[in-house]
Amino acid sequence: MLPGMSEVSSNDAVRELADVPAVEVISRAAVMLMSSAAEKLGLADDDPDTSPRRDLDEARRVITALAGLVTASVEYLGPHAGPIRDGLQSLQRAFRESSAHPDEPGKGPGEKYTGPVY
């Protein structure tokens, strides 16, 4: 049970989640990971280079997790697959552009799952 949830609200949340199609759960998780990566890349600020939230180490981890999720679930995403993959690639490119010493192609975040992103 999550902190702050009563036994009743926890059971209700599990029942509600059971009614949500898997594609929606996966898509929501992907969007959350994309949002987190964008924040950690500083993309929500006017100048990402001076963003106080910028943390490339954290961004690498989140992008890699997103790449693993997308790769493992692409066959279930149907029409959602294209936009989610595009979002992932945009984040991978933004990471490369943000890095003072960019990884070589194929070594960037998540590229072991997606292949090289240029």
Coordinates of all heavy atoms in Angstrom, one line a residue, residues 46-97:
D46 N 13.3 28.2 -20.1 CA 13.6 29.0 -21.2 C 15.0 28.7 -21.8 O 15.2 28.7 -23.0 CB 13.5 30.5 -20.9 CG 12.1 31.0 -20.7 OD1 11.1 30.3 -21.2 OD2 11.8 31.9 -19.9
D47 N 15.9 28.5 -20.8 CA 17.3 28.2 -21.2 C 17.7 26.9 -20.5 O 18.1 26.9 -19.4 CB 18.3 29.3 -20.8 CG 19.7 29.1 -21.3 OD1 19.9 28.0 -22.0 OD2 20.6 29.9 -20.9
P48 N 17.6 25.8 -21.3 CA 17.9 24.5 -20.6 C 19.4 24.4 -20.1 O 19.6 23.8 -19.1 CB 17.8 23.5 -21.8 CG 16.8 24.1 -22.7 CD 17.1 25.6 -22.6
D49 N 20.3 25.2 -20.7 CA 21.7 25.1 -20.2 C 21.8 25.7 -18.8 O 22.8 25.3 -18.1 CB 22.6 25.9 -21.2 CG 22.7 25.2 -22.5 OD1 22.6 24.0 -22.6 OD2 22.9 25.9 -23.5
T50 N 20.9 26.6 -18.4 CA 21.0 27.2 -17.0 C 19.9 26.7 -16.1 O 19.8 27.2 -15.0 CB 21.0 28.7 -17.1 OG1 19.8 29.1 -17.7 CG2 22.2 29.2 -17.9
S51 N 19.2 25.7 -16.5 CA 18.1 25.2 -15.7 C 18.6 24.6 -14.4 O 19.5 23.8 -14.4 CB 17.3 24.1 -16.4 OG 16.4 23.5 -15.6
P52 N 18.0 25.0 -13.2 CA 18.4 24.4 -12.0 C 18.0 22.9 -11.8 O 18.5 22.2 -11.0 CB 17.7 25.3 -10.9 CG 16.5 25.9 -11.7 CD 17.0 26.0 -13.1
R53 N 17.0 22.5 -12.7 CA 16.6 21.1 -12.6 C 17.4 20.2 -13.5 O 17.2 19.0 -13.5 CB 15.1 21.1 -13.0 CG 14.2 21.6 -12.0 CD 12.7 21.6 -12.4 NE 12.5 22.7 -13.4 CZ 12.2 24.0 -13.1 NH1 12.3 24.3 -11.8 NH2 12.0 24.9 -14.0
R54 N 18.3 20.7 -14.3 CA 19.0 19.9 -15.3 C 19.9 18.9 -14.5 O 20.7 19.3 -13.7 CB 19.8 20.8 -16.2 CG 20.5 20.1 -17.3 CD 21.1 21.0 -18.2 NE 21.5 20.4 -19.5 CZ 22.0 21.0 -20.5 NH1 22.3 22.3 -20.4 NH2 22.3 20.4 -21.6
D55 N 19.8 17.7 -14.9 CA 20.6 16.6 -14.3 C 20.7 15.5 -15.3 O 19.9 14.7 -15.5 CB 19.9 16.1 -13.0 CG 20.8 15.1 -12.2 OD1 21.6 14.4 -12.9 OD2 20.5 15.0 -11.0
L56 N 21.8 15.6 -16.1 CA 22.0 14.6 -17.2 C 22.2 13.2 -16.7 O 21.8 12.3 -17.4 CB 23.2 15.1 -18.0 CG 23.0 16.4 -18.8 CD1 24.2 16.7 -19.7 CD2 21.7 16.4 -19.6
D57 N 22.7 13.0 -15.5 CA 22.8 11.6 -15.0 C 21.4 11.0 -14.8 O 21.1 9.9 -15.2 CB 23.5 11.6 -13.6 CG 24.9 11.0 -13.7 OD1 25.4 10.7 -14.8 OD2 25.6 10.9 -12.6
E58 N 20.5 11.8 -14.2 CA 19.2 11.3 -14.0 C 18.4 11.2 -15.3 O 17.7 10.3 -15.5 CB 18.4 12.3 -13.0 CG 18.9 12.3 -11.6 CD 18.3 11.0 -10.9 OE1 17.1 10.9 -10.9 OE2 19.1 10.2 -10.4
A59 N 18.6 12.1 -16.2 CA 18.0 12.1 -17.5 C 18.4 10.8 -18.2 O 17.6 10.1 -18.9 CB 18.4 13.3 -18.4
R60 N 19.7 10.4 -18.2 CA 20.1 9.2 -18.8 C 19.4 8.0 -18.3 O 18.9 7.1 -19.0 CB 21.6 9.0 -18.6 CG 22.2 7.7 -19.2 CD 23.7 7.5 -18.8 NE 24.5 8.5 -19.4 CZ 25.0 8.5 -20.7 NH1 24.6 7.5 -21.5 NH2 25.7 9.4 -21.2
R61 N 19.2 7.9 -17.0 CA 18.5 6.8 -16.4 C 17.0 6.7 -16.8 O 16.5 5.6 -17.1 CB 18.6 6.9 -14.9 CG 20.0 6.7 -14.3 CD 20.1 6.9 -12.9 NE 21.5 6.8 -12.5 CZ 22.0 7.5 -11.5 NH1 21.3 8.4 -10.8 NH2 23.3 7.4 -11.2
V62 N 16.4 7.8 -16.8 CA 15.0 7.9 -17.2 C 14.8 7.5 -18.7 O 13.9 6.8 -19.0 CB 14.3 9.2 -16.8 CG1 12.9 9.3 -17.3 CG2 14.4 9.5 -15.3
I63 N 15.6 8.1 -19.5 CA 15.5 7.8 -21.0 C 15.8 6.3 -21.2 O 15.1 5.7 -22.0 CB 16.5 8.7 -21.8 CG1 16.0 10.2 -21.7 CG2 16.6 8.3 -23.2 CD1 17.0 11.2 -22.2
T64 N 16.8 5.8 -20.5 CA 17.1 4.3 -20.7 C 15.9 3.5 -20.2 O 15.5 2.5 -20.9 CB 18.3 3.9 -19.9 OG1 19.4 4.7 -20.5 CG2 18.7 2.5 -20.1
A65 N 15.2 3.8 -19.1 CA 14.1 3.1 -18.7 C 12.9 3.2 -19.7 O 12.2 2.3 -20.0 CB 13.6 3.7 -17.3
L66 N 12.8 4.4 -20.2 CA 11.7 4.6 -21.3 C 12.0 3.8 -22.5 O 11.1 3.1 -23.0 CB 11.7 6.1 -21.7 CG 10.8 6.5 -22.8 CD1 9.3 6.1 -22.5 CD2 10.9 8.0 -23.1
A67 N 13.2 3.7 -22.9 CA 13.6 2.9 -24.1 C 13.3 1.5 -23.8 O 12.8 0.8 -24.7 CB 15.1 3.1 -24.4
G68 N 13.6 1.0 -22.6 CA 13.3 -0.4 -22.3 C 11.8 -0.7 -22.3 O 11.4 -1.7 -22.9
L69 N 11.0 0.2 -21.8 CA 9.6 0.1 -21.8 C 9.0 0.1 -23.2 O 8.3 -0.8 -23.6 CB 8.9 1.2 -21.0 CG 7.4 1.2 -21.0 CD1 6.8 0.0 -20.3 CD2 6.9 2.5 -20.3
V70 N 9.5 1.0 -24.0 CA 9.0 1.1 -25.4 C 9.4 -0.1 -26.2 O 8.5 -0.7 -26.9 CB 9.5 2.4 -26.0 CG1 9.2 2.4 -27.5 CG2 8.9 3.6 -25.3
T71 N 10.6 -0.5 -26.1 CA 11.1 -1.7 -26.8 C 10.3 -3.0 -26.4 O 9.9 -3.7 -27.3 CB 12.6 -1.9 -26.6 OG1 13.2 -0.7 -27.1 CG2 13.1 -3.1 -27.4
A72 N 10.1 -3.1 -25.1 CA 9.4 -4.3 -24.6 C 7.9 -4.3 -25.0 O 7.3 -5.4 -25.0 CB 9.6 -4.5 -23.1
S73 N 7.3 -3.2 -25.1 CA 5.9 -3.1 -25.3 C 5.4 -2.6 -26.6 O 4.2 -2.5 -26.8 CB 5.3 -2.3 -24.2 OG 5.8 -1.0 -24.2
V74 N 6.3 -2.4 -27.6 CA 5.9 -1.8 -28.8 C 4.8 -2.5 -29.6 O 3.9 -2.0 -30.2 CB 7.1 -1.5 -29.8 CG1 7.7 -2.8 -30.3 CG2 6.8 -0.5 -30.9
E75 N 4.8 -3.9 -29.5 CA 3.8 -4.7 -30.2 C 2.4 -4.5 -29.6 O 1.4 -4.8 -30.3 CB 4.2 -6.1 -30.1 CG 4.1 -6.8 -28.7 CD 4.6 -8.2 -28.7 OE1 3.8 -9.1 -29.2 OE2 5.7 -8.5 -28.2
Y76 N 2.3 -4.0 -28.4 CA 1.0 -3.8 -27.7 C 0.5 -2.3 -27.9 O -0.7 -2.1 -27.6 CB 1.1 -4.1 -26.2 CG 1.7 -5.4 -26.0 CD1 2.9 -5.5 -25.2 CD2 1.1 -6.6 -26.4 CE1 3.5 -6.8 -25.0 CE2 1.7 -7.8 -26.2 CZ 2.9 -7.9 -25.4 OH 3.4 -9.1 -25.2
L77 N 1.3 -1.4 -28.3 CA 1.0 0.0 -28.3 C 0.1 0.4 -29.5 O -0.5 1.5 -29.5 CB 2.2 0.8 -28.2 CG 3.0 0.7 -26.9 CD1 4.3 1.5 -27.0 CD2 2.1 1.2 -25.8
G78 N 0.1 -0.4 -30.6 CA -0.8 0.0 -31.7 C -0.5 1.4 -32.2 O 0.7 1.7 -32.4
P79 N -1.5 2.2 -32.4 CA -1.3 3.5 -33.0 C -0.5 4.5 -32.1 O 0.0 5.5 -32.5 CB -2.7 4.1 -33.2 CG -3.6 3.3 -32.4 CD -2.9 1.9 -32.2
H80 N -0.3 4.1 -30.8 CA 0.4 4.9 -29.9 C 1.9 4.7 -30.0 O 2.7 5.6 -29.6 CB 0.1 4.6 -28.4 CG -1.4 4.7 -28.1 ND1 -2.0 5.9 -27.8 CD2 -2.4 3.8 -28.0 CE1 -3.3 5.7 -27.6 NE2 -3.5 4.4 -27.7
A81 N 2.3 3.7 -30.7 CA 3.8 3.3 -30.8 C 4.6 4.4 -31.5 O 5.6 4.8 -31.0 CB 4.0 2.0 -31.5
G82 N 4.1 4.9 -32.6 CA 4.8 5.9 -33.4 C 5.1 7.2 -32.6 O 6.2 7.6 -32.5
P83 N 4.0 7.8 -32.0 CA 4.3 9.1 -31.3 C 5.2 8.8 -30.1 O 6.0 9.7 -29.7 CB 2.9 9.5 -30.8 CG 2.0 8.9 -31.8 CD 2.6 7.6 -32.2
I84 N 5.1 7.7 -29.4 CA 5.9 7.4 -28.2 C 7.3 7.2 -28.7 O 8.3 7.7 -28.0 CB 5.4 6.2 -27.4 CG1 4.0 6.6 -26.7 CG2 6.4 5.8 -26.4 CD1 3.3 5.5 -26.1
R85 N 7.6 6.5 -29.7 CA 8.9 6.3 -30.3 C 9.5 7.6 -30.7 O 10.7 7.9 -30.4 CB 8.9 5.3 -31.5 CG 8.9 3.9 -31.1 CD 8.9 3.1 -32.4 NE 9.5 1.8 -32.2 CZ 9.3 0.8 -33.1 NH1 8.6 1.0 -34.2 NH2 9.9 -0.3 -32.8
D86 N 8.7 8.5 -31.4 CA 9.2 9.8 -31.8 C 9.6 10.6 -30.6 O 10.7 11.3 -30.6 CB 8.1 10.5 -32.6 CG 7.8 9.9 -33.9 OD1 8.6 9.1 -34.4 OD2 6.8 10.3 -34.5
G87 N 8.8 10.6 -29.5 CA 9.1 11.3 -28.3 C 10.4 10.8 -27.7 O 11.3 11.6 -27.2
L88 N 10.6 9.5 -27.7 CA 11.8 8.9 -27.1 C 13.0 9.4 -27.9 O 14.1 9.8 -27.4 CB 11.7 7.4 -27.1 CG 13.0 6.6 -26.9 CD1 13.6 6.9 -25.5 CD2 12.7 5.1 -27.0
Q89 N 13.0 9.3 -29.3 CA 14.1 9.7 -30.1 C 14.4 11.2 -29.9 O 15.6 11.6 -29.9 CB 13.8 9.4 -31.6 CG 13.9 7.9 -31.8 CD 13.6 7.6 -33.3 OE1 13.2 8.4 -34.1 NE2 13.7 6.3 -33.6
S90 N 13.4 12.0 -29.8 CA 13.6 13.5 -29.5 C 14.4 13.7 -28.2 O 15.3 14.5 -28.2 CB 12.3 14.2 -29.5 OG 11.6 14.2 -30.7
L91 N 14.0 12.9 -27.2 CA 14.7 13.0 -25.9 C 16.1 12.5 -26.0 O 17.1 13.1 -25.5 CB 14.0 12.3 -24.8 CG 12.6 12.9 -24.4 CD1 11.8 11.9 -23.6 CD2 12.9 14.2 -23.6
Q92 N 16.3 11.4 -26.8 CA 17.7 10.9 -27.0 C 18.6 12.0 -27.7 O 19.7 12.2 -27.4 CB 17.7 9.6 -27.8 CG 17.1 8.5 -26.9 CD 16.9 7.2 -27.7 OE1 16.3 7.2 -28.8 NE2 17.4 6.1 -27.2
R93 N 18.0 12.6 -28.7 CA 18.7 13.7 -29.5 C 19.0 14.9 -28.6 O 20.1 15.4 -28.6 CB 18.0 14.1 -30.7 CG 18.1 13.1 -31.9 CD 17.7 13.7 -33.2 NE 16.3 13.7 -33.5 CZ 15.5 12.7 -33.7 NH1 15.9 11.5 -33.5 NH2 14.2 12.9 -34.0
A94 N 18.0 15.3 -27.8 CA 18.2 16.4 -26.9 C 19.3 16.1 -25.8 O 20.1 17.0 -25.5 CB 16.9 16.7 -26.2
F95 N 19.3 14.9 -25.4 CA 20.4 14.5 -24.5 C 21.8 14.6 -25.1 O 22.7 15.2 -24.6 CB 20.2 13.0 -24.0 CG 21.2 12.6 -23.0 CD1 21.0 12.7 -21.6 CD2 22.5 12.1 -23.4 CE1 21.9 12.4 -20.7 CE2 23.4 11.7 -22.4 CZ 23.1 11.8 -21.1
R96 N 21.9 14.1 -26.4 CA 23.1 14.2 -27.1 C 23.6 15.7 -27.2 O 24.7 16.0 -27.0 CB 23.0 13.5 -28.4 CG 24.3 13.5 -29.2 CD 24.2 12.7 -30.5 NE 23.6 11.4 -30.4 CZ 24.3 10.3 -29.9 NH1 25.5 10.4 -29.5 NH2 23.7 9.1 -29.8
E97 N 22.6 16.5 -27.6 CA 22.9 18.0 -27.8 C 23.3 18.7 -26.5 O 24.0 19.6 -26.5 CB 21.7 18.7 -28.4 CG 21.4 18.2 -29.9 CD 20.1 18.7 -30.4 OE1 19.4 19.5 -29.8 OE2 19.8 18.3 -31.5

